């Protein structure tokens, strides 16, 4: 579809960074206004929709950095108009970290040094992070089909296979966030295989639907038959084998081991691209066999698995910090002794920024199509600081670790929301020629689309 120029990428694209920074500011605005509107059912729901579903449409469609800065300034101005009032909401029901309503599975990440049973509290900023990413993904997958969508945010493809855009970060960020949750709340073989089977079924249904409707597909993204759901299914299999077969149980809670494995896997991926000829084959793919037809999806698995390992490392590190704080200050709630979380995320942010700076100085450009080492590092550069900012806003607002209701519900229903978004996107594209629609029509369709997702979440 749309192509991005093959130019040297700075440490962090300011335009992309500003659009991601909107999420912590959205939480800031909501935290300021929600105590006033919460007694009013309609007003509170309208606030949640405008802040977390309506404003992202503006952020995605803003044509450039000045407009984005103006929108963020408006958010800050709105937050400054309201006094900082205590949150009046009810305490959320006890749940495991990451937002699941099910009972916490047996923690397969426990080690001999962690024999004390400590219940890990819900980390609201993690729910906000995952839900905010999902909202951005849902907006982008439909907005990219309209002419109003900024071309610099579209996925890189064609001759410009190197570079990074907002949409390029989508699958990498979702892979990282999934690993983060697995590291935080533990895992079981049953859950992983259930996730694998559901993803494979959805991938198969999407493939059949695309073939039946002749829906246009960019083959340079995953290949001819491959799609996002097949990638997620394969990553679940690889995670189950890695955690259940290859990795000794005593190392399950070691963030150092997971990070080391992630580094090793991404090194193998980069070596295969540069020395084994994968990069040349991807750029000059003949697509004359079943494997070469789906080469992008197959070759990207190692890179995405390294992101899964880094997510596991981040999740287990956060788990250890929170548990240590609970043991040290058992009578204090998490928001009073969570400075260790900020220190951890801040240190990691500086570390990955330094790595990205090295890659930028060496002119090693990221490529979503190849999932090379630079792409993996840049996914970390954008996501870890975002987690830091969300935790910082949460702590400054004294939210007592209570999640925003609509984001918590969205976090619990991520798969169904993403599936509904894909179905609605297909329906819109089959019912109209989106590229020929004007700006007013595009905005109206996107807002109605977000209303449908909001109603499905039902906060």
């Amino acid at each position: 579809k749309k192509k991005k120029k093959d130019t040297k990428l700075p440490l962090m694209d300011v335009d992309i960074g500003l659009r991601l920074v909107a999420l912590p500011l959205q939480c800031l605005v909501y935290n300021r206004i929600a105590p006033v509107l919460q007694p009013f059912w309609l007003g509170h729901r309208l606030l949640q929709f405008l802040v977390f579903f309506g404003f992202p449409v503006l952020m995605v469609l803003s044509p450039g950095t000045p407009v984005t800065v103006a929108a963020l300034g408006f958010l800050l101005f709105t937050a400054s108009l309201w006094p900082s009032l205590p949150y009046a909401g009810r305490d959320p029901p006890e749940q495991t970290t990451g937002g699941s309503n099910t009972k916490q599975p047996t923690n397969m990440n426990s080690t001999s040094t962690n024999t004390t049973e400590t219940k890990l509290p819900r980390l609201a900023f993690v729910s906000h992070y995952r839900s905010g990413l999902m909202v951005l993904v849902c907006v982008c997958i439909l907005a990219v089909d309209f002419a109003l969508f900024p071309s610099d945010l579209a996925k890189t493809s064609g001759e410009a296979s190197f570079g990074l855009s907002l949409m390029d970060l989508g699958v990498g960020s979702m892979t990282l966030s999934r690993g983060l949750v697995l590291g935080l709340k533990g895992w079981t073989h049953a859950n992983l295989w259930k996730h694998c089977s559901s993803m494979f079924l959805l991938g198969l249904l999407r493939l059949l639907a695309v073939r039946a409707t002749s829906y246009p597909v960019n083959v340079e993204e995953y290949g001819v038959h491959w799609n996002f759901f097949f990638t997620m299914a394969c990553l679940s299999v690889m995670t189950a084998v890695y955690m259940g077969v290859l990795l000794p149980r005593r190392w399950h809670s070691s963030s150092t081991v997971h990070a080391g494995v992630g580094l090793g896997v991404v090194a193998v991926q980069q070596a295969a691209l540069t020395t084994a000829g994968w990069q040349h084959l991807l750029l000059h793919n003949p697509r004359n066999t079943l494997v070469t037809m789906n080469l992008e999806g197959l070759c990207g698995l190692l890179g995405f698995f390294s992101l899964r390992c880094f997510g596991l490392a981040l999740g287990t590190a956060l788990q250890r910090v929170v548990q240590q704080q609970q043991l040290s200050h058992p009578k204090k709630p998490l928001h009073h002794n969570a400075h260790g979380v900020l220190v951890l995320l801040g240190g990691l942010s500086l570390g990955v920024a330094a790595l990205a700076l090295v890659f930028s100085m060496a002119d090693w450009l990221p490529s979503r199509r190849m999932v090379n080492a630079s792409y993996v590092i840049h996914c970390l550069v954008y996501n870890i600081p975002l987690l830091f900012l969300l935790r910082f806003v949460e702590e400054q607002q004294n939210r007592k670790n209570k999640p925003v209701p609509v984001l918590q519900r969205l976090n619990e229903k991520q798969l169904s929301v993403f599936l509904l978004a894909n179905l609605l996107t297909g329906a819109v594209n089959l019912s109209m020629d989106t590229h020929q629609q004007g700006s007013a029509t595009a905005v109206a369709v996107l807002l109605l689309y977000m209303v449908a997702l909001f109603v499905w979440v039902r906060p």
Side-chain angles (χ1 to χ4, degrees):
K1 292 184 179 180
K2 302 175 183 179
K3 299 180 181 180
K4 189 176 179 70
K5 293 182 179 180
D6 186 6
T7 57
K8 185 174 181 179
L9 191 74
L11 170 63
M12 176 179 283
D13 189 293
V14 175
D15 196 36
I16 297 176
L18 287 174
R19 294 173 201 267
L20 294 178
V21 165
L23 179 57
L25 295 182
Q26 289 165 231
C27 293
L28 175 63
V29 171
Y30 175 82
N31 293 344
R32 287 296 188 98
I33 304 177
V36 178
L37 295 181
Q38 191 157 17
F40 308 98
W41 183 89
L42 181 60
H44 189 216
R45 267 54 179 183
L46 182 61
L47 173 66
Q48 293 183 76
F49 172 77
L50 291 176
V51 173
F52 295 110
F53 284 72
F55 190 79
V57 174
L58 172 62
M59 294 305 300
V60 169
L61 296 181
S62 61
T65 302
V67 178
T68 306
V69 171
L72 295 179
F74 173 76
L75 273 184
L76 286 173
F77 176 73
T78 304
S80 67
L81 293 178
W82 296 81
S84 182
L85 300 176
Y87 181 65
R90 295 176 297 176
D91 289 335
E94 293 294 332
Q95 295 181 4
T96 58
T97 302
S100 175
N101 280 328
T102 58
K103 293 183 179 180
Q104 184 171 356
T106 303
N107 195 342
M108 302 295 288
N109 295 332
S110 59
T111 62
S112 57
T113 58
N114 264 343
T115 55
T116 304
E117 289 294 332
T118 305
K119 187 175 182 179
L120 191 67
R122 182 215 318 263
L123 301 180
F125 75 96
V126 175
S127 295
H128 297 169
Y129 159 72
R130 299 185 72 229
S131 302
L133 287 180
M134 179 56 67
V135 170
L136 278 177
V137 168
C138 290
V139 174
C140 287
I141 61 176
L142 177 58
V144 70
D145 295 321
F146 290 96
L148 184 62
F149 187 80
S151 60
D152 285 345
L153 302 184
K155 294 177 181 178
T156 53
S157 62
E159 296 177 359
S161 293
F162 292 91
L164 196 67
S165 69
L166 182 64
M167 290 194 70
D168 287 326
L169 289 171
V171 61
S173 299
M174 294 179 71
T175 302
L176 180 71
S177 70
R178 174 67 178 168
L180 170 62
V181 171
L182 290 176
L184 273 171
K185 71 176 185 179
W187 62 280
T188 63
H189 284 291
N191 287 341
L192 285 175
W193 289 111
K194 180 180 179 181
H195 184 263
C196 171
S197 59
S198 60
M199 289 293 103
F200 179 79
L201 179 60
L202 289 174
L204 185 60
L205 290 175
R206 175 179 170 80
L207 174 61
L208 295 176
V210 166
R211 291 295 180 181
T213 59
S214 298
Y215 190 79
V217 175
N218 182 7
V219 296
E220 293 180 355
E221 184 179 357
Y222 291 104
V224 177
H225 311 101
W226 203 268
N227 56 52
F228 167 82
F229 297 107
F230 288 145
T231 295
M232 292 296 107
C234 289
L235 288 177
S236 291
V237 174
M238 296 168 74
T239 304
V241 173
Y242 164 63
M243 296 289 286
V245 179
L246 302 179
L247 191 68
R249 185 170 181 177
R250 66 181 182 274
W251 289 346
H252 283 185
S253 64
S254 174
S255 57
T256 304
V257 170
H258 293 312
V261 172
L263 286 172
V265 171
V266 76
V268 171
Q269 169 80 353
Q270 187 62 42
L273 287 170
T274 56
T275 63
W278 284 14
Q279 178 172 313
H280 181 270
L281 185 58
L282 283 166
L283 293 176
H284 307 87
N285 192 347
R287 301 195 189 280
N288 51 8
T289 65
L290 183 62
V291 172
T292 55
M293 285 181 181
N294 302 282
L295 199 60
E296 287 82 358
L298 294 171
C299 290
L301 287 176
L302 282 179
F304 287 128
F305 182 67
S306 70
L307 278 170
R308 175 65 57 85
C309 292
F310 287 129
L312 285 167
L314 181 57
T316 51
L318 285 173
Q319 181 195 62
R320 186 173 295 276
V321 169
V322 172
Q323 287 180 340
Q324 288 176 348
Q325 290 171 344
Q326 283 186 299
L327 292 174
S328 302
H329 307 281
K331 295 184 179 180
K332 289 186 178 181
L334 179 62
H335 72 286
H336 283 310
N337 55 23
H339 297 296
V341 174
L342 282 177
V343 172
L344 172 65
L345 293 174
L348 291 175
S349 299
L350 293 175
V352 295
L355 280 176
L357 181 60
V358 172
F359 276 68
S360 180
M361 294 175 62
D363 201 15
W364 293 338
L365 296 176
S367 173
R368 155 63 188 86
R369 184 179 180 184
M370 303 174 191
V371 198
N372 59 3
S374 184
Y375 173 80
V376 171
I377 294 300
H378 279 84
C379 282
L380 298 176
V381 164
Y382 285 100
N383 282 273
I384 296 179
L386 178 59
L387 282 165
F388 172 82
L389 291 175
L390 284 167
R391 178 57 221 168
F392 178 79
V393 168
E394 182 182 273
E395 186 171 334
Q396 295 302 311
Q397 291 295 298
N398 195 27
R399 285 274 296 173
K400 298 183 179 180
N401 204 38
K402 295 177 181 177
V404 175
V406 68
L407 296 185
Q408 180 61 26
R409 290 296 300 273
L410 176 57
N411 188 45
E412 297 166 0
K413 305 174 70 173
Q414 285 217 357
L415 179 58
S416 64
V417 170
F418 185 63
L419 181 59
L420 177 61
N422 277 270
L423 292 174
L424 292 176
T425 298
V428 169
N429 278 276
L430 291 175
S431 61
M432 65 172 66
D433 186 357
T434 53
H435 293 285
Q436 301 301 320
Q437 303 302 318
S439 299
T441 302
V443 172
V445 170
L446 282 168
L447 288 177
L448 289 174
Y449 163 76
M450 297 307 292
V451 168
L453 297 181
F454 181 78
V455 171
W456 177 258
V457 174
R458 294 196 305 275

